[in-house]
Amino acid sequence: MKALPILAALALAMLGRAVPAAEIAISCGAVGQELALCREGAEAWAERTGHTVTVVSTPASATERLALYQQLLAAQAPDIDVFQIDVIWPGLLGAHFVDLKTQADAESLAAHVPAILANNVVGNRLVAMPWFTDTGLLYYRKDLLDKHGAAVPATWQALTETAARIQAAERAAGNGRLWGYVWQGRAYEGLTCNALEWIDAHGGGTIVGDDGAVTVNNPRAAAALDLAASWVGAISPPGVLNYQEEEARGVFQSGNAVFMRNWPYAWSLVNGADSPVRGRVGIAPLPRGGPDGKPSGALGGQTLAVSKYSRHVDAAADLVLYLTGADEQKRRAIVGSFNPTIAAVYADPEVAAANPFLSGLADAVSGAVARPSRVTGKRYNRVSTAFWNAVHATLSGDGDGAANLAKLEKDLDRLRRGGRW
Ligand code: GLC
């Protein structure tokens, strides 16, 4: 009876493996090329290690993905070993993940941009490893701006005017499907990012301040929302109120928009071999609120975490370290324009050549505005939900910015029971 395990151990040793192969399931996002690139990376790891890997696709909406994760993790389900986690979730979900400090060597930890790594530390536990970082960016049609003698808009007011002018001129010339500006207006986390950018650019703060105070009910924030509401049905299609990232990209990439707000992943796709606008797209920081405002792009990004309920924690952590390591981040930056979290990868000439915007946008990337997820911790999703609902109502013409933000302030103060989040 003892012969079998010994034979098995011998066979494994011959294959060069110390531990039996594990079957690891990894959840990946599904926006643009996310799923395909995740699968390629995970399969390359499986090939090297002899483990097997299953890639589980998740909803494209960050909000729906969070709801799915909350269900799985609350049930302590061992089905998924590695979770792709949004930068705003460590406080919400961190308790379900393994401390990766014990799994990663000091050198690979030190390679990541310190602030990006620090975002994953919850109560001294490193609950996820940085994978890529995101910033909201302005994509524009170089050819249309040139044709109409327009500059890249530096303020939101200028964007509003330029978009309206080019849209009107193009439509008059028979380009009936052209819109001025597409973005993410659906009631979900992406709208929180867009609206935070408008408000921050106007000097209206970050919804909740670093000290935990609710700051969103102010005239600059209200003016920013009212300006955005004026776009709907004018320079933006009415359907924008239901757009996520990929809907906006679909319109822009098929040639039907002058401007688009999106994350860096869209760069590789709008310039892909089959893209109708390939080579005709420029990229810039999002506009300022006004001449004395500042440009503002939301800070986003994704990380990888190992579930506490995994039956193969060591193999799962090994996969996480492989995917978040420099070689894989380089590949993803070149193929998919996913911005690395390892400083040395940015400096790589091949990465810079594939992403010419990276060097020009270094300030936009490092100065990105964070959502108030650290200060609101476990309540962040409720804060964000209340915020995007107030914004969506304003965009839909159901009350103006001032009225909806006054109501939002009351709701948020109620959520912040006893003055603490
Ligand atoms: C991107 C960002 C993420 C953000 C989401 C909103 O995936 O990386 O941080 O929450 O978009 O749609």
Side-chain angles (χ1 to χ4, degrees):
M1 286 304 283
K2 288 247 169 79
L4 237 151
I6 290 170
L7 276 180
L10 268 177
L12 284 174
M14 282 165 66
L15 285 171
R17 269 188 244 132
V19 283
E23 235 182 278
I24 301 296
I26 177 172
S27 80
C28 296
V31 176
Q33 301 189 79
E34 264 189 316
L35 189 66
L37 264 67
C38 175
R39 172 164 293 127
E40 285 167 17
E43 281 172 359
W45 170 82
E47 184 90 355
R48 281 167 177 238
T49 57
H51 296 301
T52 52
V53 74
T54 311
V55 176
V56 182
S57 170
T58 55
S61 155
T63 300
E64 287 168 29
R65 189 149 61 91
L66 175 61
L68 173 71
Y69 285 2
Q70 283 176 317
Q71 270 179 21
L72 286 167
L73 292 167
Q76 309 197 347
D79 313 43
I80 295 184
D81 303 280
V82 176
F83 283 85
Q84 178 182 322
I85 295 297
D86 197 309
V87 291
I88 48 176
W89 298 340
L92 277 167
L93 302 179
H96 298 283
F97 302 133
V98 166
D99 183 0
L100 291 169
K101 268 202 309 288
T102 52
Q103 303 274 347
D105 58 282
E107 205 183 320
S108 40
L109 291 177
H112 292 270
V113 174
I116 300 180
L117 187 71
N119 185 58
N120 303 309
V121 177
V122 182
N124 207 28
R125 296 171 63 251
L126 179 64
V127 300
M129 284 295 285
W131 200 17
F132 60 93
T133 182
D134 266 341
T135 318
L137 296 167
L138 181 69
Y139 289 76
Y140 59 91
R141 284 282 299 282
K142 281 189 297 201
D143 55 336
L144 289 177
L145 261 55
D146 286 351
K147 179 173 166 194
H148 296 276
V152 178
T155 64
W156 282 111
Q157 197 59 49
L159 179 136
T160 308
E161 286 157 17
T162 305
R165 179 161 73 78
I166 297 181
Q167 179 183 304
E170 285 289 315
R171 287 192 180 188
N175 189 356
R177 295 171 66 177
L178 189 80
W179 287 99
Y181 183 42
V182 290
W183 38 284
Q184 295 79 41
R186 184 189 177 112
Y188 82 121
E189 185 62 30
L191 179 55
T192 288
C193 297
N194 282 246
L196 174 63
E197 287 159 351
W198 310 327
I199 291 178
D200 183 46
H202 281 82
T206 55
I207 311 166
V208 173
D210 288 342
D211 60 356
V214 174
T215 59
V216 74
N217 184 18
N218 67 76
R220 286 165 180 252
L225 295 192
D226 290 338
L227 177 64
S230 79
W231 300 334
V232 181
I235 59 169
S236 304
V240 80
L241 294 178
N242 212 20
Y243 279 13
Q244 298 181 174
E245 285 80 357
E246 285 291 87
E247 285 79 13
R249 184 174 68 84
V251 174
F252 184 81
Q253 192 164 316
S254 45
N256 292 327
V258 186
F259 297 109
M260 167 176 75
R261 183 267 178 214
N262 219 323
W263 306 105
Y265 85 92
W267 177 256
S268 58
L269 293 165
V270 299
N271 284 307
D274 57 351
S275 167
V277 296
R278 177 188 170 92
R280 292 194 268 147
V281 178
I283 196 166
L286 287 163
R288 300 167 185 270
D292 52 349
K294 54 169 176 163
S296 179
L299 176 65
Q302 305 289 325
T303 66
L304 292 174
V306 174
S307 166
K308 264 189 179 170
Y309 318 115
S310 163
R311 299 200 179 99
H312 311 283
V313 166
D314 289 344
D318 193 60
L319 171 59
V320 166
L321 292 173
Y322 174 81
L323 290 176
T324 57
D327 289 350
E328 179 61 6
Q329 288 209 8
K330 175 176 170 179
R331 185 185 75 88
R332 292 171 55 90
I334 293 172
V335 185
S337 57
F338 286 102
N339 283 5
T341 62
I342 296 179
V345 180
Y346 274 96
D348 187 294
E350 286 173 71
V351 170
N355 297 286
F357 64 89
L358 272 186
S359 54
L361 294 179
D363 286 353
V365 173
S366 60
V369 58
R371 286 161 277 174
S373 55
R374 275 194 89 81
V375 65
T376 58
K378 289 201 165 50
R379 300 229 166 90
Y380 173 71
N381 195 47
R382 279 188 267 173
V383 170
S384 187
T385 306
F387 176 65
W388 79 57
N389 280 331
V391 174
H392 200 268
T394 313
L395 298 173
S396 313
D398 178 7
D400 66 4
N404 286 325
L405 291 181
K407 181 173 172 296
L408 173 66
E409 180 181 42
K410 289 207 185 81
D411 293 346
L412 293 182
D413 279 336
R414 250 196 312 274
L415 262 180
R416 189 183 178 221
R417 279 175 230 128
R420 294 191 55 187
W421 289 106

